[in-house]
Amino acid sequence: MNTPESPGVRKRGRPSSGNAMSNAERQRAYRERQAQKRDAESVTMNKRAQQALESTAKLRSQRDQALRAQEQAEHKAREWEAKATSLLKQILELEQRKDAPLAWYQDPGIEAVYVLESRLREEKHWKRVASMGAFTRREVADEWLKSMLAHSSMIEYRVNRIRFKTE
């Protein structure tokens, strides 16, 4: 019988290649492969982190722009509110003036003024012609009345005398 040490007989199993590594070499190769894998993952994670930081910076910039726009809109709204309040005060003052006939025109030497009033033929109430103001003399008011009547067919005009309260 042939023994395993004899030259013509082959051993059982896979033949050796002659490049066999020791256990220490195999472990070192494994650690190197793991380190390379970690480095590749680290580079990928750094890229992802950088992208996340960039997108976060972009979102913060957009948020800041939106906050500035909101602040400007609120400032503009406060300005408009202040203007509206001012206009409302003016309207209330004018309403009070309307109730006190021509109080703004009072002159100690004048006891009455004449105003031009108009209305559409179908309407019941007369309204002052604001652009005409008030006249201190009846003759001047009558002249204006004549000129207004000459140019109107649908509107009626009249001169009204307003007396001031004498105390």
Side-chain angles (χ1 to χ4, degrees), residues 124-162:
K124 181 178 178 182
H125 299 286
W126 291 88
K127 297 177 185 170
R128 289 187 194 144
V129 178
S131 62
M132 304 313 292
F135 304 99
T136 55
R137 294 187 8 226
R138 176 72 187 217
E139 307 84 50
V140 177
D142 287 338
E143 287 297 318
W144 275 102
L145 177 64
K146 287 178 189 174
S147 69
M148 297 299 279
L149 289 174
H151 299 294
S152 159
S153 61
M154 299 293 294
I155 301 175
E156 293 179 341
Y157 290 96
R158 74 176 183 189
V159 173
N160 190 17
R161 180 178 180 194
I162 299 176

Side-chain angles (χ1 to χ4, degrees), residues 50-89:
Q50 186 64 31
Q51 289 173 348
L53 287 174
E54 289 171 1
S55 66
T56 301
K58 189 183 290 185
L59 288 173
R60 285 182 178 155
S61 171
Q62 290 174 352
R63 180 202 62 198
D64 292 344
Q65 285 178 336
L67 288 174
R68 280 193 297 274
Q70 179 184 6
E71 185 177 316
Q72 289 174 350
E74 288 173 352
H75 179 71
K76 192 64 111 171
R78 284 191 297 272
E79 285 179 359
W80 288 347
E81 187 176 352
K83 285 181 183 179
T85 303
S86 172
L87 289 174
L88 184 60
K89 286 179 183 177

Side-chain angles (χ1 to χ4, degrees), residues 90 92-108 110 112-116 128-136 162-165:
Q90 290 176 359
L92 291 175
E93 287 175 13
L94 290 174
E95 294 264 336
Q96 290 172 353
R97 263 192 215 173
K98 184 176 78 173
D99 295 339
L102 298 179
W104 51 272
Y105 193 82
Q106 287 187 11
D107 184 350
I110 299 174
V113 292
Y114 301 92
V115 293
L116 199 57
R128 289 187 194 144
V129 178
S131 62
M132 304 313 292
F135 304 99
T136 55
I162 299 176
R163 293 184 184 181
F164 297 119
K165 293 180 183 177

